[in-house]
Amino acid sequence: TDGTSFEINLQHIINVDGRAQFVAFANDISKRLAQEKAKDEFVSTVSHELRSPLTSIKGGLGLVLSGATGELSDKSRSLLEIAHRNSDRLVLIINDILDLQKFSSGQNQLNLAKTDLSVLIKDAAAANEAYCTQYQVGIRLVGTDEPHVVECDADKIFQILNNLMSNAAKFSIPGDDIVVSLATDGPDTLIAVRDYGVGIPAEAQATIFDRFTQVSGQDRKSKGGTGLGLNIVKVIAERHGGKVTLESAEGAGSTFVVRLPSRHSAQGRVQDAEILD
Ligand code: ADP
């Protein structure tokens, strides 16, 4: 009631005479929670403060690169292009950090509405087409011919699709397809994003959904990225009451499966998940 938070640790002890006893330890974790809050606020403030000067740097570089301020030597152009690419990358990192921070502080509420996932997946595929072409990868859609309506936050699920599809394209072998499929499993909806690319070694799989995790290896250099994308996928799936799992083998590609509770069928009929909620 005074704002103090406790973490209770219950230990089960068996006495020599066979009687069971329980001992409870109460740790005051208020200080740790206050420190976590202060850290979140610090990260958020710093990220916000970085965004506006960065926008101005990006704008300036873009203008010079467009030729509006005069001719550039080849050397200047290539240096400026590197700076411009890196400022894009910084914007991505900052936006990802801010998104995650909003989620962890509970500020980022889901905006739930009935959404046709078949349409959303087609939109995400269209949005990723140029990126896939860059990696010479095709996109195949399965199970998206019929409407599949689920109550979810469409923007956030789009972000999941975007992160998984862009990873799948990045780590594919040129000439291959990535496959995005939509299916129902009992009361749940499954969205799977499959690639036939480099795969993720078993030892890296346990931590792949953690922040800033990137798998090292010669094929993986120069792919860019922040190491935050999969953490965002996990947080969004869990916020929807769902989860994301990975099946992968090195050299054989990866399948990421997002499981969402389907509250509404295509006809808007309430399904089991709603009753269980
Ligand atoms: P980013 O792609 O921005 O680095 P992610 O969190 O999305 O961050 O991914 C983390 C790492 O997981 C990637 O850097 C890559 O090493 C590995 N990874 C993600 N998706 C795949 C995939 N489909 N195939 C192989 N490796 C992947």
Side-chain angles (χ1 to χ4, degrees), residues 89 92 96 131 163-172 193-201 204 207-217 220 223-233 246 248 253-256:
R89 189 165 130 70
L92 282 185
D96 281 354
Y131 194 74
N163 290 0
L164 293 180
M165 288 172 77
S166 57
N167 277 347
K170 249 194 318 194
F171 298 105
S172 279
V193 179
R194 171 144 192 41
D195 69 68
Y196 299 88
V198 296
I200 298 169
T207 53
I208 201 79
F209 293 102
D210 295 349
R211 291 182 194 187
F212 298 114
T213 303
Q214 290 189 307
V215 182
S216 52
R220 297 170 182 275
K223 299 268 187 191
T226 62
L228 288 169
L230 288 178
N231 188 246
I232 291 175
V233 169
L246 164 66
S248 181
S254 311
T255 307
F256 287 87

Side-chain angles (χ1 to χ4, degrees), residues 40 95-112 152-153 155-157 159-161 163-164 208-212 227-245 256-261:
D40 276 352
N95 286 342
D96 281 354
I97 291 175
L98 282 172
D99 269 353
L100 281 171
Q101 195 275 334
K102 277 192 211 141
F103 270 122
S104 69
S105 66
Q107 276 174 48
N108 210 341
Q109 297 301 331
L110 292 183
N111 193 1
L112 294 177
C152 65
D153 185 322
D155 288 344
K156 299 284 186 299
I157 302 297
Q159 199 175 353
I160 285 189
L161 288 164
N163 290 0
L164 293 180
I208 201 79
F209 293 102
D210 295 349
R211 291 182 194 187
F212 298 114
L228 288 169
L230 288 178
N231 188 246
I232 291 175
V233 169
K234 176 173 179 257
V235 170
I236 294 175
E238 287 175 356
R239 269 298 168 97
H240 279 82
K243 62 178 184 175
V244 54
T245 51
F256 287 87
V257 180
V258 178
R259 179 178 286 270
L260 298 173

Side-chain angles (χ1 to χ4, degrees), residues 20 25 63 94 99 116 165 179 192 216 253 276:
F25 297 93
L63 199 66
I94 290 171
D99 269 353
D116 186 348
M165 288 172 77
V179 184
S216 52
L276 296 174

